[in-house]
Amino acid sequence: MGPRLSLEEKRKRMMDIFHEMPEPFLLKELERIGPKQKGIVSQSVKDVVQSLVDDGMCHCEKVGTSNFFWAFPSEAAVKRKNKMMQLEKELAQMQAKQKELVDLIANAQLGREHTEERGYLLEEMTETEALWNGQQEELKQFKECDPVLMNRKREEAVMAKDAANRWTDNVFIIQSWVRDKFNMDMGEFNKFFGIPAEFDSV
């Protein structure tokens, strides 16, 4: 009997199953694969999978009377790309706000002594700078805003596009699998999962 696994280790090993075999699984299939390949006792598989679904790391969709679970490796890259874009947008907003405040302070200083308005603007600028610096620190983990690494940013954009296309391919794999296994029309499949008619590789 192997060592007891923590919940986090079980979650990691379950994600390894999804990434190593990128296809939808029934719960009973995971309860069979988990103990055999990853040492996860079958009685805990359901709770482990549900915790991954609750955290948005694994998908769960009901087809007919069965629940199918899956998670594709390419989704992680797409999530990182979306997070990067969100942080860049927030940073740009902070920079614009900072410039606006600096301009206001410069105008307030012309021919004036220290005023209550100027003090308020200085305080607001300090708060904005603190927020802006916090966004910069968070962006460092993505290394996207370092001018020295702009070339790498362009390369990563290409990689993100490839990852998105792999994700699209995975959707097509699921479509074919469901069509063949359940004899489901592709139009019905797309309508059921909310997939638009123009869905295709980028």
Side-chain angles (χ1 to χ4, degrees), residues 80-81 83-85 87-88 91 135-157:
R80 285 194 296 271
K81 179 177 180 290
K83 178 65 173 177
M84 177 196 73
M85 293 174 63
L87 290 173
E88 286 183 332
L91 177 61
Q135 293 294 332
Q136 267 199 327
E137 287 298 318
E138 192 171 358
L139 275 171
K140 282 182 181 178
Q141 61 184 297
F142 296 99
K143 296 183 178 180
E144 293 295 331
C145 291
D146 187 343
V148 179
L149 299 176
M150 288 305 292
N151 287 334
R152 182 180 299 176
K153 179 178 177 180
R154 285 190 290 269
E155 294 174 358
E156 290 177 352

Side-chain angles (χ1 to χ4, degrees), residues 60-74:
C60 174
E61 291 292 347
K62 189 168 186 176
V63 179
T65 59
S66 302
N67 288 323
F68 289 88
F69 303 89
W70 74 89
F72 298 131
S74 56

Side-chain angles (χ1 to χ4, degrees), residues 7-8 10-12 14-15 44-58 69:
L7 175 60
E8 194 55 40
K10 291 176 183 177
R11 283 160 54 94
K12 179 181 180 299
M14 185 60 65
M15 289 302 296
S44 66
V45 167
K46 181 178 180 180
D47 291 337
V48 172
V49 173
Q50 187 59 51
S51 74
L52 294 174
V53 172
D54 293 341
D55 290 346
M57 298 173 65
C58 168
F69 303 89

Side-chain angles (χ1 to χ4, degrees), residues 89-102:
K89 180 179 178 181
E90 292 175 0
L91 177 61
Q93 292 173 342
M94 290 294 181
Q95 288 173 324
K97 181 66 174 177
Q98 183 189 38
K99 184 179 184 304
E100 178 185 349
L101 291 173
V102 169

